[in-house]
């Protein structure tokens, strides 16, 4: 056995580097056939023949250095199980070498001949299926992996798919029982679909057609029987969790395969045809992490992002959807909202153990107070808001939309309120979105886009009924009470990024979020709703001034209490009164060489840096460092429509952008463009500071939130124009620039009516 292991080890090293095999094909077949007698510990005639070939030197030593990849165990520790594992590993590597473009043609043909003969001359697939039930879990896993590669080889080489495996899957899917057989069936099917997605060939639809045709009906039977279980009692077994996760992964890949429009299998749509089955899992007595995965899975399905994490960019995200997609999404959204009506959010386990590096155990004395699971909070929130958007787009009457919105948003806000500390302020429930999604930009923008879509749909319906003007005050109150006012949501977003235009630029040139679509839709709304935006800006200023005054009042009280005991307290008292005086409004004189700074909000409640002082505030870091390159070559433009999907070309463009905005030479040019561009709301001529109660109304809003927002837009416009002139912007920003200029024109008109 020791000699035979050495022969296999030499063969493994050759195949690993793609070396050409010189011996007769039958010799390698005898060596690679995983006979059961070997696994039981006894030798075979074929093994003896392979050993003889190796001893006689008919297999020359490998001409290359051994690969650092782990190979067989040391000969002294060898066993029959090790021989079988090494055989299966060699077969798997040989298949990968056949499909690799880096393998030489002569070596590839030899490997292809060996695998084809091995499949025909022995029941290799049947033997691998039998290994699924082996007590050695490592052996059963490697056998399933090897079988998946062989199935994929058969698909690529247009060989008839293994009848043994098809029969195995049909039987275990149609007759579901609590055994590991169905888990391995799901796993091998999932592995083959993953390889199809990863492949660069153009026949993916044909491969999926051949693979799914015999398994479509059995999978539907399995789906119905498996999810119709009624489980009560303590959390389920590990087998149930493994099966659920296997089904979940396969469902996600099947949904992702819908991008290939010429496929019309029931298994690809079964989640949307019977969504309540999957939603019921959230109420099953299973582990919390399983429920979390199902909630995240449903969220990705509604966002049409299924399969993103399972394939290396192989899912054709830009492919046009099939004709059933719109109806399927509506069915899934309706099922989610029905589950919310039945108490879905109240069944979610939000509290869990904190995640720790290198494990989940915390040393004594280092315990932290338990907090909510923000992942499940974000997923559940986005699941509800996206479902609500889809449902409202289908509603016919404004009254029905308003009722649905009030019911489901009330349920969502009630669910979130205990888990947001400090709690969302009662005077502005719209803050929930920025609080929940503060750590996840892509989900935050998806939620903002969905809430904006809801607002636009309701606005159109009210305008069509000519009721919006009559019920303006009631309408505004409704948008705030239910947390979907688009101006509040956008302003909270700007506050979180410190009104930093470079952060907006980073989002615009990134393909990782939907910010471009959301931003364009909001800019189109803003001119029509300018008065409401301006009113909300003043409301933000008053609220922040009130909060800052209360904070400064507490500081002043503390200073007064300690002044009798500490003679050095006078400077602190002066500092406290100075803060109190400047908590609401402060700006620099226009005689300053820098542009006038806008309102400095007290940082006791909101740590938002000044938009005019980014260089001195490291907290307002942008996602891309613009200060690392002074010389960049101009790249040919890659123009496409402004509302198209951004692609990987953004990464190339980002590397060329670095000298266009920021500090240094780029900052001087940017400042000159800002000074010569359209005016924004102007600050007074002299420095001024005033308490909130005494601040003139015509001053607070001019230098407050509205001023900072418009100035941020102006800086963004200048940066985009600069990049466009140098052909560095990754798509055509003409429409976006037109919208930004329109906002500036409206602002100039409102500040200079004459």
């Amino acid at each position: 056995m020791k000699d035979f292991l050495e022969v296999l080890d030499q063969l493994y090293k050759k195949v690993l580097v793609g070396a050409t095999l010189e011996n007769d094909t039958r010799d390698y077949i005898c060596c690679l056939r995983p006979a059961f007698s070997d696994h039981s510990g006894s030798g075979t005639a074929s093994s003896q023949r392979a050993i003889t070939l190796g001893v006689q030197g008919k297999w020359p030593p490998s001409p290359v250095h051994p690969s650092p990849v782990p190979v067989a165990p040391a000969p002294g520790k060898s066993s029959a199980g090790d021989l079988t594992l090494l055989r299966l590993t060699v077969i798997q590597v040989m298949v990968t070498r056949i499909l690799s473009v880096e393998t030489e043609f002569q070596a590839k043909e030899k490997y292809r001949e060996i695998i084809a003969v091995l499949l025909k001359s022995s029941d290799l697939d049947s033997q691998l299926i039998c290994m699924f039930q082996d007590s050695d879990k490592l052996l059963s896993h490697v056998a399933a992996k090897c079988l998946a590669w062989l199935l994929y080889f058969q698909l690529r080489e247009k060989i008839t798919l293994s009848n043994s495996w098809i029969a195995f899957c049909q039987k275990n899917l149609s007759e579901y029982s609590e055994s590991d057989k169905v888990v391995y069936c799901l796993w091998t099917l999932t592995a083959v679909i993953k390889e199809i997605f990863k492949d660069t060939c153009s026949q993916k639809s044909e491969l999926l057609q051949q693979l799914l045709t015999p398994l479509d009906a059995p999978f539907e039977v399995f789906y119905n029987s498996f999810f119709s279980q009624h489980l009560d009692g303590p959390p389920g077994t590990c087998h149930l969790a493994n099966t659920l996760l296997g089904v979940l992964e396969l469902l996600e890949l099947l949904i992702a395969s819908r991008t290939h429009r010429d496929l019309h299998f029931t298994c690809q749509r079964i989640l949307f045809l019977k969504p309540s089955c999957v939603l019921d899992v959230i109420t099953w007595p299973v582990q919390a992490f399983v429920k979390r995965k199902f909630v995240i899975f449903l969220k990705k399905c509604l966002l049409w992002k299924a399969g993103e994490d399972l394939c290396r960019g192989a899912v054709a995200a830009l492919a046009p959807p099939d004709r059933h997609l719109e109806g399927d999404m509506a069915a899934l959204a309706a099922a989610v909202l029905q589950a919310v009506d039945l108490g879905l959010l109240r069944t979610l386990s939000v509290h869990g153990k904190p995640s720790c590096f290198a494990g989940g155990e915390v040393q004594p004395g280092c315990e932290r107070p338990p907090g909510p699971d923000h992942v499940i909070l974000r997923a559940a929130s986005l699941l509800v808001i996206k479902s609500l958007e889809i449902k409202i787009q289908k509603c016919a009457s404004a009254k029905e939309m308003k009722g649905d919105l009030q019911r489901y948003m009330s349920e969502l806000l009630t669910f979130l309120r205990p888990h947001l500390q400090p709690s969302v302020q009662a005077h502005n429930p719209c803050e929930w979105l920025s609080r929940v999604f503060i750590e996840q930009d892509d989900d935050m923008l998806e939620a903002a886009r969905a809430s904006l879509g809801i607002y636009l749909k309701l606005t159109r319906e009210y305008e069509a009924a000519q009721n919006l003007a009559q019920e303006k005050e009631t309408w505004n109150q409704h948008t705030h009470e239910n947390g979907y006012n688009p101006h509040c949501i956008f302003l909270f977003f700007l506050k979180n990024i410190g009104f930093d235009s470079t952060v907006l630029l980073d989002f615009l040139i990134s393909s990782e979020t939907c910010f471009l679509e959301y931003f364009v839709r909001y800019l189109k709304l803003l001119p029509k709703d300018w008065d409401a935006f301006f009113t909300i800006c003043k409301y933000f200023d008053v609220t922040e001034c009130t909060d800052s005054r209360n904070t400064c009042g507490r500081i002043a009280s503390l200073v007064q209490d300690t002044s009798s005991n500490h003679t050095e307290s006078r400077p602190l008292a002066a500092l406290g009164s100075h803060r109190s005086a400047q908590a609401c409004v402060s700006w620099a004189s226009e005689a300053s060489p820098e542009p006038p700074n806008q309102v400095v909000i007290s940082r006791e409640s909101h740590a938002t840096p000044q938009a005019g002082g980014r260089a001195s505030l490291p907290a307002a870091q942008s996602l891309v460092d613009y200060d690392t390159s002074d010389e960049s070559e101009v790249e040919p433009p890659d123009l496409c429509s402004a509302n198209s999907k951004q692609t990987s070309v953004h990464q190339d463009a980002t590397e060329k952008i670095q000298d266009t905005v920021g500090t240094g030479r780029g900052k001087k040019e940017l400042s000159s463009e800002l000074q010569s561009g359209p005016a924004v709301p102007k600050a007074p001529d002299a420095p001024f500071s005033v308490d909130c109660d005494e601040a003139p109304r015509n001053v607070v809003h001019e230098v407050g939130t509205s001023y900072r927002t418009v100035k941020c837009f102006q800086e963004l416009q200048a940066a985009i124009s600069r990049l466009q002139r140098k052909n560095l912007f990754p798509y055509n920003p003409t429409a976006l620039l037109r919208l930004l200029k329109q906002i500036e024109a409206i602002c100039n008109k409102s500040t200079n009516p004459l």
Side-chain angles (χ1 to χ4, degrees):
M1 185 178 294
K2 177 181 178 180
D3 294 333
F4 186 55
L5 186 61
E6 292 177 353
V7 170
L8 275 176
D9 186 46
Q10 289 182 7
L11 178 60
Y12 172 78
K13 292 176 180 179
K14 285 188 174 185
V15 175
L16 188 63
V17 298
T20 303
L21 303 180
E22 301 176 355
N23 279 52
D24 186 73
T25 301
R26 291 176 297 175
D27 298 336
Y28 300 107
I29 297 299
C30 296
C31 181
L32 293 176
R33 182 181 294 115
F36 283 106
S37 55
D38 286 347
H39 185 52
S40 62
S42 61
T44 63
S46 61
S47 300
Q48 186 61 40
R49 179 180 179 184
I51 295 173
T52 303
L53 289 172
V55 173
Q56 290 176 354
K58 292 185 179 181
W59 289 1
S62 176
V64 297
H65 297 288
S67 170
V69 179
V71 291
K77 300 181 181 180
S78 62
S79 65
D82 294 333
L83 291 177
T84 304
L85 287 172
L86 187 53
R87 282 191 181 107
L88 300 181
T89 303
V90 172
I91 293 173
Q92 177 184 332
V93 175
M94 193 173 290
V95 173
T96 60
R97 275 297 175 183
I98 294 172
L99 302 174
S100 174
V101 296
E102 299 177 358
T103 309
E104 296 181 359
F105 177 78
Q106 185 177 358
K108 185 181 294 187
E109 289 299 311
K110 188 68 173 180
Y111 298 159
R112 182 179 285 110
E113 181 183 357
I114 292 172
I115 296 297
V117 174
L118 191 63
L119 288 171
K120 291 180 181 179
S121 62
S122 64
D123 295 331
L124 180 59
D125 48 359
S126 300
Q127 295 183 35
L128 293 174
I129 291 172
C130 292
M131 291 181 189
F132 291 170
Q133 298 301 309
D134 196 277
S135 58
D136 187 346
K137 296 301 180 183
L138 176 60
L139 179 61
S140 59
H141 173 73
V142 174
K145 194 174 181 181
C146 182
L147 179 58
W149 276 105
L150 289 172
L151 292 169
Y152 183 58
F153 171 79
Q154 291 174 330
L155 292 172
R156 282 293 305 272
E157 297 296 316
K158 302 187 184 303
I159 302 174
T160 303
L161 209 57
S162 169
N163 292 327
S164 301
W165 179 76
I166 292 176
F168 169 78
C169 289
Q170 289 176 339
K171 181 178 185 300
N172 288 281
L173 291 176
S174 301
E175 304 172 2
Y176 169 68
S177 61
E178 294 186 6
S179 67
D180 291 335
K181 291 182 180 180
V182 70
V183 175
Y184 283 107
C185 174
L186 298 171
W187 192 93
T188 52
L189 182 57
T190 300
V192 176
I193 296 177
K194 283 184 179 181
E195 293 305 320
I196 293 175
F197 280 156
K198 292 177 185 178
D199 203 340
T200 57
C201 69
S202 59
Q203 294 85 24
K204 293 182 180 181
S205 296
E206 291 81 356
L207 300 182
L208 289 170
Q209 180 89 25
Q210 185 179 352
L211 178 67
L212 298 179
T213 298
L215 302 177
D216 188 33
F219 185 78
E220 183 180 4
V221 174
F222 166 77
Y223 184 92
N224 294 330
S225 60
F226 178 73
F227 287 109
S228 62
Q229 301 179 83
H230 298 283
L231 302 177
D232 297 316
T237 62
C238 293
H239 170 76
L240 177 60
N242 290 336
T243 307
L244 282 169
L245 296 179
V247 174
L248 188 66
E249 190 173 16
L250 179 57
L251 277 175
E252 187 169 354
L253 287 172
L254 291 172
I255 294 170
S257 68
R258 292 182 63 170
T259 55
H260 302 278
R261 297 191 65 184
D262 49 349
L263 297 179
H264 306 285
F265 291 107
T266 303
C267 62
Q268 295 175 299
R269 300 182 55 212
I270 194 166
L271 169 69
F272 304 95
L273 297 175
K274 302 176 181 179
S276 59
C277 295
V278 173
L279 284 165
D280 289 342
V281 174
I282 301 175
T283 64
W284 283 11
V286 295
Q287 292 86 341
F289 78 93
V290 177
K291 297 182 179 182
R292 176 206 269 194
K293 281 186 172 291
F294 269 80
V295 175
I296 295 174
F297 162 70
L298 291 170
K299 177 202 73 173
K300 290 194 291 186
C301 290
L302 283 175
L303 298 177
W304 199 238
K305 293 184 177 181
E308 276 191 344
D309 301 330
L310 301 178
C311 316
R312 297 189 300 235
V315 179
L318 296 180
D322 58 68
R323 64 180 185 273
H324 301 292
L325 180 61
E326 186 177 354
D328 288 349
M329 287 295 188
L332 179 58
V336 170
L337 295 178
Q338 183 181 3
V340 172
D341 273 335
L342 297 176
L344 174 68
L345 297 178
R346 293 189 292 272
T347 64
L348 291 177
S349 177
V350 179
H351 297 283
K353 295 177 63 176
S355 300
C356 303
F357 180 74
E361 298 299 327
V362 181
Q363 295 296 326
C366 301
E367 296 85 356
R368 292 178 297 174
D373 185 348
H374 290 280
V375 174
I376 196 68
L377 288 180
R378 288 192 294 267
S381 300
L382 188 50
L383 183 65
V384 173
I385 194 71
K386 188 64 181 179
S387 300
L388 190 55
E389 181 200 16
I390 294 173
K391 181 176 180 4
I392 285 181
Q393 297 298 332
K394 298 291 183 181
C395 289
S397 67
K399 184 177 181 180
E400 180 185 359
M401 296 179 196
K402 189 174 180 180
D404 288 341
L405 182 62
Q406 187 169 358
R407 181 165 78 255
Y408 294 115
M409 286 304 299
S410 175
E411 188 79 18
L412 176 60
L413 294 175
T414 302
F415 164 70
L416 292 174
R417 192 170 292 114
H419 307 297
L420 297 180
Q421 298 298 330
S423 61
V424 176
Q425 300 176 10
H427 56 261
N428 201 337
C430 299
E431 192 181 4
W432 74 270
L433 195 147
S434 61
R435 293 279 300 279
V436 171
F437 297 100
I438 187 66
E439 297 178 357
Q440 195 74 27
D441 293 338
D442 53 347
D443 282 355
M444 175 182 64
L445 293 171
E446 289 285 358
R449 180 175 65 169
S451 65
L452 179 59
I454 293 172
Y455 179 87
L456 293 175
K457 175 66 175 178
L458 278 168
T459 302
R460 286 193 298 268
E461 292 298 327
Y462 270 96
E463 289 177 347
Q466 298 181 349
N467 292 331
L468 187 58
Q470 301 173 5
E471 304 178 4
K472 190 69 176 179
E473 184 176 352
T474 305
W475 166 254
N476 288 331
Q477 183 179 359
H478 185 270
T479 62
H480 289 291
E481 289 177 351
N482 294 282
Y484 70 99
N485 185 279
H487 305 299
C488 289
I489 291 173
F490 185 76
L491 290 174
F492 276 122
F493 167 69
L494 284 184
K495 285 180 60 179
N496 286 338
I497 64 173
F499 293 85
D500 191 343
S501 62
T502 60
V503 177
L504 297 183
L505 182 63
D506 291 331
F507 279 120
L508 286 173
I509 65 176
S510 171
S511 60
E512 297 178 357
T513 70
C514 64
F515 180 73
L516 174 61
E517 180 185 350
Y518 165 68
F519 192 48
V520 168
R521 295 182 71 183
Y522 181 74
L523 291 180
K524 289 181 178 179
L525 166 69
L526 198 51
K528 305 174 184 178
D529 216 15
W530 182 258
D531 292 339
F533 167 77
F534 215 58
T535 302
I536 292 173
C537 286
K538 291 190 289 184
Y539 172 79
F540 266 64
D541 295 334
V542 172
T543 302
E544 290 168 347
C545 288
T546 303
D547 295 341
S548 300
R549 183 186 60 194
N550 294 338
T551 302
C552 296
R554 290 193 295 269
I555 294 176
S557 300
L558 179 62
V559 171
Q560 185 176 3
D561 293 340
T562 57
S563 60
S564 58
N565 298 327
H566 299 279
T567 58
E568 292 95 348
S569 62
R570 290 185 179 181
L572 181 59
L575 176 62
S577 61
H578 179 70
R579 287 182 180 177
S580 178
Q582 293 193 356
C584 296
V585 184
S586 84
W587 54 81
S589 171
E590 286 187 351
S592 171
E594 296 293 333
N597 294 333
Q598 49 271 34
V599 167
V600 181
I601 303 302
S602 175
R603 296 201 180 119
E604 281 81 0
S605 58
H606 297 284
T608 55
Q610 303 178 31
R614 281 193 305 274
S616 62
L617 293 175
Q621 295 283 341
S622 63
L623 300 180
V624 178
D625 183 9
Y626 294 104
D627 303 327
T628 59
S629 175
D630 293 330
E631 298 295 336
S632 296
E633 296 178 0
V634 177
E635 185 181 42
D638 183 12
L639 302 179
C640 60
S641 60
N643 61 348
S644 63
K645 181 75 174 180
Q646 296 141 307
T647 59
S648 61
V649 72
H650 294 77
Q651 298 177 357
D652 299 331
T654 302
E655 297 174 358
K656 303 280 187 177
I657 285 172
Q658 298 177 355
D659 69 327
T660 59
V661 288
T663 58
R665 176 173 55 85
K667 182 177 179 180
K668 294 179 181 179
E669 298 175 3
L670 182 60
S671 299
S672 63
E673 290 187 9
L674 291 177
Q675 293 173 1
S676 62
V680 295
K682 295 181 180 179
D685 293 336
F688 179 76
S689 63
V690 62
D691 199 358
C692 298
D693 293 336
E694 303 173 0
R697 290 185 179 181
N698 61 343
V699 173
V700 172
H701 71 262
E702 287 185 351
V703 297
T705 304
S706 62
Y707 173 83
R708 305 177 76 186
T709 303
V710 176
K711 183 174 176 60
C712 179
F713 286 168
Q714 187 179 28
E715 293 176 349
L716 179 64
Q717 176 187 337
I720 295 175
S721 299
R722 179 191 303 276
L723 296 177
Q724 185 186 27
R725 289 194 301 269
K726 296 185 177 182
N727 292 331
L728 294 178
F729 210 72
Y731 52 88
N732 186 358
T734 304
L736 180 60
L737 290 172
R738 189 183 304 116
L739 291 171
L740 290 172
K741 291 176 181 177
Q742 185 180 7
I743 300 301
E744 285 186 342
I746 295 174
C747 182
N748 291 335
K749 184 177 180 180
S750 62
T751 55
N752 301 296
L754 299 179

